[in-house]
Amino acid sequence: MRLTRLLPARLRRRLRAAANARTANGPLPASSEFLHVIATRHGIGVFDEQWFAYRQLMLEHLTLASLDAQTHRDFVWVIAIDRDMPEAARRRLDELAASRPYIRLAETELKRDFVPDLVAWTRAEARARGKGWALTTRLDDDDALHRDLVGRLHREAAAYLGEGRAAPAILSPTLGCNWVPTEAAGHRAYHHSPSIGLSLLEPAARATTVYRRNHSTLAQMLAPQGVSVRHLDGETLWWLYAHTGLSDQQREGSERMSKVADHPHALTLDAAALAEFGVSAEGARLLRRTPEPEPHETLHLLNRRGLDVEQEIHDLRESLRDKDDAKARGRITRLHAERRRMHEHLIR
């Protein structure tokens, strides 16, 4: 009989807590067994230069800043972009990526291509690096991660694999902060399956990525299949969710921004609080002082408007498999031009 079986349950819990604390404060594990991919969609299907000018301001001073600040840097950031994105926006993105070897720009044709393209890239990259597992993490292009989140995810993944598990695992950083950058105000928030930082660890050869399902339903879908669901505990605010008028979640009459800024428990995010996410004082000032562009309609409606065109392009593309049909190819070209016209002037 093991000695621990003879100890009172309360003492056993204390011993486990002490062991966990030593692990948390110890050296970060090398991700020798898994490839870590942080994946972001950036303006796929958007062709308005004013939209990109403001969105890339947030991308640079929030999202990119938080990844530059990570205390553990063994990851790849895949930024999925439209192959026909505006030239000025592409040049700026190339400039940001030039000095950061952890960035991969992945061109895609349609919004619906994002997930299958990401799956194919992740499997191929893991195979090329000799990794048996893939850890994929969600991150939107206007949000930020706590500077210690990558390290925490790696600890959790290493501990899980150390248990000899064969099934995939969901790693969910439940605590975060909703905020409005122009107001520098926000509040603590909880989500059991957040849209920022939610991660899926799975065998690389069968990787489907964390984007295989809507973030809110991923755990409900996978838990019955034996997938482990692990919430990151503690009081750390792991994510910073920016609420802006350019969000496709800002629907007509939703008042999401005012509900965050005027929350009864709202607090001011000062320089020290934002620094935990890699956001500099200058970056915060730029976001606070730069007027938000005003869209013609809510972007939720504008984004949905192009889905029928994308569907027709997809169907024609599928019909061209293993055949050459000049008429269908011409139709696809015209549909892409229409798709571009629909989303060139989103901003007033």
Side-chain angles (χ1 to χ4, degrees):
M1 181 181 292
R2 287 180 294 178
L3 178 61
T4 52
R5 293 281 181 86
L6 301 176
L7 298 175
R10 183 179 300 175
L11 182 54
R12 290 203 303 271
R13 286 195 294 270
R14 288 179 181 175
L15 288 172
R16 280 197 298 269
N20 290 337
R22 287 194 298 273
T23 300
N25 294 323
L28 283 163
S31 54
S32 57
E33 296 183 69
F34 58 88
L35 166 72
H36 187 190
V37 179
I38 300 173
T40 298
R41 290 171 285 204
H42 180 52
I44 302 172
V46 175
F47 306 100
D48 188 305
E49 293 186 356
Q50 294 184 72
W51 185 95
F52 272 106
Y54 187 78
R55 193 74 167 198
Q56 289 189 335
L57 181 73
M58 296 204 300
L59 176 79
E60 180 175 354
H61 293 287
L62 290 178
T63 318
L64 176 65
S66 75
L67 293 180
D68 276 347
Q70 289 300 308
T71 54
H72 195 52
R73 302 290 293 276
D74 190 4
F75 60 86
V76 181
W77 185 23
V78 174
I79 307 175
I81 57 176
D82 198 292
R83 67 183 189 184
D84 297 322
M85 75 184 300
E87 291 182 8
R90 179 59 191 265
R91 282 197 303 272
R92 182 55 184 151
L93 203 56
D94 286 337
E95 290 170 1
L96 294 175
S99 60
R100 295 172 173 87
Y102 68 81
I103 293 179
R104 301 287 187 278
L105 301 181
E107 292 185 353
T108 192
E109 183 179 0
L110 302 172
K111 291 178 183 178
R112 66 186 306 145
D113 295 332
F114 167 67
V115 174
D117 286 355
L118 179 62
V119 167
W121 188 91
T122 299
R123 291 181 180 183
E125 188 70 10
R127 185 168 57 251
R129 297 189 185 200
K131 306 291 188 181
W133 290 75
L135 176 67
T136 53
T137 299
R138 290 185 61 109
L139 180 59
D140 291 341
D141 62 350
D142 58 349
D143 299 320
L145 303 177
H146 188 280
R147 60 192 178 91
D148 292 330
L149 181 59
V150 169
R152 178 66 188 275
L153 289 171
H154 282 222
R155 288 192 183 96
E156 295 291 335
Y160 181 79
L161 295 177
E163 296 171 7
R165 301 296 191 96
I170 293 172
L171 307 178
S172 181
T174 55
L175 272 183
C177 182
N178 288 324
W179 78 309
V180 179
T182 53
E183 302 289 338
H187 63 84
R188 283 165 52 99
Y190 167 89
H191 199 294
H192 69 280
S193 188
S195 63
I196 312 162
L198 185 68
S199 301
L200 179 62
L201 178 68
E202 52 191 336
R206 303 191 303 276
T208 55
T209 83
V210 70
Y211 281 97
R212 66 180 289 181
R213 187 87 171 193
N214 181 279
H215 66 94
S216 293
T217 59
L218 185 72
Q220 288 94 323
M221 181 187 75
L222 295 183
Q225 302 174 29
V227 172
S228 178
V229 181
R230 301 192 169 198
H231 294 131
L232 274 59
D233 57 4
E235 291 300 311
T236 301
L237 302 182
W238 292 115
W239 39 266
L240 193 62
Y241 188 143
H243 290 260
T244 72
L246 287 192
S247 169
D248 60 7
Q249 300 299 314
Q250 183 70 14
R251 307 185 188 193
E252 191 71 39
S254 69
E255 300 180 344
R256 286 168 62 95
M257 294 170 63
S258 60
K259 287 178 181 178
V260 170
D262 300 332
H263 193 277
H265 298 292
L267 48 87
T268 299
L269 275 75
D270 59 16
L274 292 173
E276 291 295 297
F277 300 92
V279 181
S280 69
E282 177 59 25
R285 277 194 295 272
L286 276 172
L287 293 169
R288 191 168 61 250
R289 295 175 181 175
T290 303
E292 281 193 22
E294 184 180 353
H296 289 289
E297 305 174 63
T298 65
L299 291 183
H300 173 73
L301 295 175
L302 290 168
N303 283 341
R304 293 188 62 82
R305 193 171 64 186
L307 294 182
D308 290 341
V309 175
E310 284 209 1
Q311 183 65 51
E312 187 173 353
I313 293 173
H314 170 75
D315 292 343
L316 286 168
R317 195 174 62 185
E318 289 297 301
S319 73
L320 285 174
R321 287 183 181 272
D322 303 320
K323 66 175 71 172
D324 186 14
D325 184 332
K327 183 177 180 180
R329 283 190 283 104
R331 176 63 178 160
I332 289 175
T333 299
R334 290 191 295 275
L335 286 170
H336 270 296
E338 181 182 343
R339 174 175 172 259
R340 187 180 193 91
R341 284 194 299 272
M342 291 170 66
H343 299 100
E344 275 185 326
H345 303 292
L346 303 181
I347 305 303
R348 292 183 188 277

